[in-house]
Amino acid sequence: MTDFHLDTRAVHTPIPEPEGSRPLGVPIYQTHLFAFDDPEMQPAGFAGEGNAFLYNRYGNPTVRAFEEAVAGLEGGAAGLAAASGMGAINTVLLGLLGSGDHVVAQRSLYGGTLAVLRDLSERRGIEVTYVDGDDPAQVRDAVRPNSKLLWLETISNPTTRVLDLPAILGAGREAGLITVVDSTFATPVLCRPVEHGADVVVHSATKYLGGHSDVLGGIAVFADEDRYRQVRHYATELGATAAPFPAWLALRGLQTLSLRVRQHCDNAQFLAERLENHPAVDVVHYPGLDSHPDREAAVRLLSGRGGGVLSLELAGGRDAGRDFIAALRLATATVSLGDVKTLAMHPASTSHRDLDDAQLREAGIGAGLLRISAGIEHPEDLWSDVEQALKAVR
Ligand SMILES: *Cc1c(COP(=O)(O)O)cnc(C)c1O
């Protein structure tokens, strides 16, 4: 290179390879293009298979490290990272479904997923039937000859219902459906849906996997290698695949996932128990409480824990919810969940503000319902904050 002019040398910078040592952390391969010494290898790069990297939309080593890590934690054959949870959800739905197909879906899904399903049925000729998900018979009754896919969530939002996942997945598989579980709320620390018969598991890595609200990302894990290939092929067409730096942040988050989830669960349990005995609180929805309708399912499915999210209903309705949020000092009033900081939201005055009380009830959300995503702070500090906010409620 020293023979070349400065202009040329500035472009062709040598890349040092570690000699005899290896990096302890996963390097961020902030390059989107790779070149093969052997041109025969190019087709493998286009296929996005193995470690033959060519172009980031097909695959990148940092992204692959994240995909393999989550696939390993979930007990699946392979993972496919996406630019967001919604990117993963769209990739899976569009990669597996065609017009004329029918989907069976749980009624209380994440709002973004419901919006995509609505779009599929209104504009793309894919019909959807919604079921409550508390009885496998509902799935069997909903199945038609053109049914293709069953979409579920491990823990529902915001009332934290827990499915009898093995039974519902069993009904879906008996009917020949591809079973997909959005397990964002549970994380592989608490539940690994593939072990219960799921074909695909999706996550918003923006939440617990990343864990620090510094990354937007998503991932789908496939139990079966062939289905993975089919969807990966589609993902490169859709172009919603993950970039190296977000994948690296999510990968760093994964290293403390177990520790964080344990603390999230302990704190949520602590708050739920105290809130349940507070006079200003009508109901606490938390699968770690004996009063929760799905307590038994949660014990079996979530390794005896209740997760990091709880919700409560204040006797004072909409105004009480608003007052509570405004009075919080330590917990942050915002959307999302799964952060190391405690986050709280009042759906009736934010995400669901356009609905009146009757429409809210229809959506299973009380006007005074608050959702808390417990962080990893000291539980007594969290309780002091929640207690003083409850005092501020009129
Ligand atoms: C946040 C969330 C999503 C969407 O993820 P993004 O990363 O925001 O696109 C999907 N499913 C669930 C359950 C979520 O909580």
Side-chain angles (χ1 to χ4, degrees):
M1 275 298 164
T2 47
D3 298 345
F4 291 108
H5 294 90
L6 182 145
D7 302 9
T8 307
R9 282 185 280 124
V11 175
H12 294 266
T13 329
I15 302 174
E17 290 276 334
E19 261 173 36
S21 65
R22 57 188 169 79
L24 220 57
V26 175
I28 306 170
Y29 282 86
Q30 191 56 52
T31 175
H32 108 89
L33 201 54
F34 298 78
F36 291 103
D37 292 329
D38 176 2
E40 298 285 309
M41 290 289 289
Q42 269 219 14
F46 272 118
E49 281 170 20
N51 289 343
F53 300 106
L54 174 65
Y55 189 95
N56 271 1
R57 189 150 43 74
Y58 303 97
N60 169 283
T62 312
V63 176
R64 185 59 44 83
F66 173 58
E67 292 171 334
E68 287 181 355
V70 180
L73 298 183
E74 287 287 1
L80 175 58
S84 66
M86 289 308 299
I89 287 166
N90 272 289
T91 304
V92 169
L93 284 170
L94 297 172
L96 291 172
L97 295 170
S99 66
D101 285 340
H102 174 245
V103 174
V104 181
Q106 196 180 334
R107 206 181 303 278
S108 60
L109 296 178
Y110 177 70
T113 310
L114 289 175
V116 176
L117 291 174
R118 205 179 309 124
D119 202 51
L120 289 180
S121 64
E122 283 171 8
R123 304 200 300 135
R124 296 181 202 278
I126 293 168
E127 287 178 301
V128 186
T129 301
Y130 294 94
V131 297
D132 291 331
D134 43 22
D135 184 353
Q138 296 166 346
V139 173
R140 286 192 282 271
D141 291 346
V143 168
R144 306 179 191 168
N146 59 337
S147 296
K148 182 85 181 273
L149 186 141
L150 172 66
W151 193 285
L152 307 167
E153 286 179 10
T154 326
I155 305 175
S156 77
N157 178 32
T159 50
T160 70
R161 296 300 304 261
V162 180
L163 284 187
D164 182 353
L165 207 56
I168 307 282
L169 286 173
R173 286 172 73 94
E174 268 167 42
L177 307 185
I178 302 169
T179 54
V180 187
V181 179
D182 181 335
S183 206
T184 299
F185 274 55
T187 82
V189 177
L190 299 181
C191 178
R192 292 159 301 279
V194 170
E195 290 174 2
H196 303 293
D199 296 310
V200 188
V201 182
V202 300
H203 284 280
S204 165
T206 314
K207 315 293 168 55
Y208 289 105
L209 302 189
H212 301 75
S213 296
D214 52 11
V215 60
L216 185 73
I219 188 160
V221 171
F222 297 80
D224 174 75
E225 187 84 32
D226 289 336
R227 186 162 290 128
Y228 158 74
R229 280 214 194 83
Q230 176 191 348
V231 180
R232 167 155 310 269
H233 181 81
Y234 176 73
T236 60
E237 285 174 19
L238 185 67
T241 42
F245 187 52
W248 184 86
L249 285 170
L251 198 48
R252 191 172 63 158
L254 276 190
Q255 298 179 21
T256 54
L257 181 68
S258 249
L259 281 175
R260 285 186 285 109
V261 167
R262 240 175 283 159
Q263 190 66 28
H264 287 303
C265 290
D266 285 352
N267 283 355
Q269 182 79 35
F270 183 88
L271 290 178
E273 285 172 10
R274 293 219 173 165
L275 281 165
E276 200 175 32
N277 296 312
H278 194 285
V281 178
D282 258 357
V283 201
V284 179
H285 305 284
Y286 184 64
L289 295 176
D290 289 336
S291 59
H292 192 277
D294 306 322
R295 177 67 187 139
E296 267 180 48
V299 168
R300 274 181 280 124
L301 202 67
L302 306 176
S303 325
R305 291 181 172 268
V309 175
L310 63 136
S311 61
L312 56 138
E313 295 190 35
L314 295 181
R318 204 179 281 257
D319 289 342
R322 209 179 281 128
D323 289 349
F324 177 88
I325 289 287
L328 289 171
R329 292 186 195 138
L330 182 62
T332 309
T334 186
V335 296
S336 200
L337 60 119
D339 191 272
V340 287
K341 297 183 180 75
T342 295
L343 311 176
M345 72 176 288
H346 178 222
S349 62
T350 55
S351 57
H352 294 68
R353 67 188 172 284
D354 295 337
L355 307 189
D356 61 29
D357 286 11
Q359 289 168 315
L360 277 176
R361 259 195 307 281
E362 176 93 349
I365 296 168
L369 182 134
L370 296 151
R371 185 184 77 187
I372 297 178
S373 167
I376 62 167
E377 302 96 332
H378 195 288
E380 291 290 357
D381 293 335
L382 288 178
W383 175 246
S384 302
D385 189 35
V386 166
E387 200 180 26
Q388 65 81 26
L390 287 171
K391 279 207 192 88
V393 169
R394 280 165 286 178

